[in-house]
Amino acid sequence: MSQLLIEGGYPLCGVIDVQGAKNSVLPILSAALMSDGECSVLNFPEITDTYVAIDILRALGAKVVKQQDCITINAKNADGYEIPYGLMRKMRSSIMFLGSILAKNKKAVISLPGGCELGQRPIDIHLAALRKMGVNIEENHGFLECSHSGLKGCEISLSFPSVGATENIMLAAVKADGVTDIYNAAREPEIEDLARFLVKMGARIKGAGTDHISIEGVPSLSGCTHRVIPDRIVAGTYLCAVAATRGNALLKNICPLHIYAVTSLLKEAGCDIKIYDDAVSIECDKLKSVPLVRTMPYPGFPTDEQAPFMALMSIASGNTLFIETIFENRFKHVGELLRMGAKITTEGRVSLVEGVKKLHSATVQATDLRGGAGLAVAALAAEGSTVISSVEHIYRGYENFEYNISELGGKIKKI
């Protein structure tokens, strides 16, 4: 198991490019499974989750070729319908393949997915929607056995604007008979990106990016070429890291609108933020606390950004109240921040952060993807050298993490 050694106290300064979005490319790779032609996906992020997705595609019979940041998928003869247990357990987003496998092959066998343990993240919403579309689903000893004689379009009202459920319904609906209307749909940019990819393949989709998405089923989908949007969570993490070290940097390959919820709070915290067409610059001399951070579905403050921003607020003057509305176990990083000298009190889904002047080095453990990124932000600002273990979590979502931090002048190495 790898560890990261981070020597804190060095301001992050310079220019870096932001990778393609993890939460966009994964459902897009699933969608490519339904194509009768060849799909090329550009701005492909080299992270462990995307390689798990490639392994799933190959296990289902697809041919996958990668050249630099472009991946090409030919799934014309991919008639597999069962995802190997080991691959399902590696990544929660593997559930994204359920809708596309059912649309392509009319049956699917999968285990319940794995991934970061952030509390109860039931897939009941996914399964209820697919059942409404005509899918028969049986659970046997932790495996889901699904089949149908023909997907039917229908009206689906989600009890919560789940990103994963919205995507799975879209994937199943593009080849269903009739029109599927999703109400209270997720509005995240990654939903819009998936819709753009599907439309290029020949799908008929309206309303992506709003809370009402309408999909008219088509008999077949063709190949296409698509460039994945920038990763807004990665961008926000690096912005927090620069601010925490009192640095200044320019982040390129960004859609500023997608990270407005983060940049607006960084401005409130005293950072100088400049917005360009496809870039954002940040400079920070002094930090002050933001009174309240409440995670919400898009366009609210993202739950994935909560840990890096909490690390930042732990060294800001004043107090910040964090309210986590998405996942009940999203404060696992708090105990590790306390080891570094942070002053945080947590009860249930609420954490009160009292800013301290400095964090100190410690040996800490990443317990999940974004929590690990938050610990890295803290370590970069702390006095001394911090060792972060279980960093395989970080590599699930951050491409060339050590390289990018080093490019900005940070002292970091894998040990």
Side-chain angles (χ1 to χ4, degrees), residues 82-384:
E82 184 171 358
I83 299 178
Y85 173 80
L87 295 177
M88 283 296 298
R89 296 297 296 170
K90 285 184 178 180
M91 180 178 70
R92 176 156 294 271
S93 296
S94 55
I95 192 66
M96 285 299 95
F97 282 88
L98 182 56
S100 55
I101 294 173
L102 287 170
K104 184 179 181 69
N105 294 326
K106 294 191 176 182
K107 58 182 177 180
V109 177
I110 65 171
S111 72
L112 297 175
C116 291
E117 296 300 327
L118 303 176
Q120 292 296 316
R121 297 201 283 180
I123 59 172
D124 297 356
I125 302 177
H126 301 237
L127 304 184
L130 291 171
R131 284 190 173 107
K132 198 168 184 181
M133 298 177 71
V135 180
N136 177 58
I137 303 174
E138 295 182 5
E139 184 175 346
N140 293 311
H141 304 288
F143 284 82
L144 299 174
E145 298 177 359
C146 313
S147 62
H148 65 87
S149 58
L151 293 168
K152 305 293 184 183
C154 61
E155 290 187 358
I156 298 170
S157 181
L158 298 178
S159 58
F160 176 82
S162 162
V163 175
T166 300
E167 291 169 340
N168 240 336
I169 298 166
M170 290 171 64
L171 291 167
V174 290
K175 296 186 73 176
D177 182 20
V179 176
T180 301
D181 285 294
I182 311 172
Y183 296 97
N184 196 29
R187 299 162 57 191
E188 272 71 3
E190 294 81 9
I191 298 288
E192 291 186 81
D193 204 28
L194 173 61
R196 282 191 290 268
F197 180 74
L198 288 168
V199 168
K200 287 180 181 180
M201 294 170 69
R204 297 173 182 172
I205 302 174
K206 295 180 180 178
T210 74
D211 61 1
H212 175 204
I213 303 175
S214 183
I215 307 108
E216 181 182 353
V218 297
S220 62
L221 296 169
S222 60
C224 70
T225 298
H226 180 77
R227 184 175 181 83
V228 173
I229 61 172
D231 196 310
R232 60 194 174 98
I233 306 303
V234 169
T237 300
Y238 285 133
L239 289 173
C240 287
V242 173
T245 61
R246 307 300 196 272
N248 63 85
L250 176 69
L251 273 62
K252 298 165 62 179
N253 186 33
I254 284 180
C255 180
L257 179 63
H258 294 172
I259 59 171
Y260 176 76
V262 176
T263 54
S264 62
L265 285 186
L266 287 171
K267 286 181 180 179
E268 190 177 342
C271 300
D272 181 17
I273 302 285
K274 290 185 173 61
I275 306 295
Y276 305 94
D277 289 342
D278 61 353
V280 171
S281 69
I282 180 171
E283 185 172 0
C284 182
D285 293 323
K286 294 182 180 180
L287 270 177
K288 58 182 179 180
S289 64
V290 173
L292 175 65
V293 178
R294 183 192 300 269
T295 64
M296 295 288 287
Y298 188 85
F301 188 87
T303 180
D304 282 350
E305 212 67 77
Q306 178 250 107
F309 202 83
M310 182 180 285
L312 178 64
M313 289 296 96
S314 70
I315 52 173
S317 60
N319 300 338
T320 302
L321 187 68
F322 283 81
I323 301 177
E324 174 58 52
T325 71
I326 311 298
F327 299 124
E328 68 267 31
N329 288 347
R330 197 109 214 206
F331 288 141
K332 286 187 173 182
H333 53 279
V334 169
E336 304 304 297
L337 288 174
L338 293 176
R339 294 170 64 87
M340 301 180 69
K343 193 173 181 181
I344 305 171
T345 304
T346 299
E347 184 173 338
R349 295 191 180 205
V350 178
S351 281
L352 176 63
V353 179
E354 301 177 59
V356 297
K357 289 186 178 180
K358 292 180 180 179
L359 296 175
H360 55 72
S361 61
T363 299
V364 294
Q365 181 177 12
T367 57
D368 59 82
L369 168 56
R370 306 306 175 183
L375 294 178
V377 170
L380 288 163
E383 288 186 331

Side-chain angles (χ1 to χ4, degrees), residues 2-6 340 362-367 371-380 386-392 394 401 412 415:
S2 297
Q3 297 176 319
L4 285 177
L5 174 64
I6 299 177
M340 301 180 69
T363 299
V364 294
Q365 181 177 12
T367 57
L375 294 178
V377 170
L380 288 163
T386 295
V387 175
I388 305 176
S389 62
S390 299
V391 294
E392 64 274 7
I394 296 175
F401 186 70
I412 182 173
I415 56 175

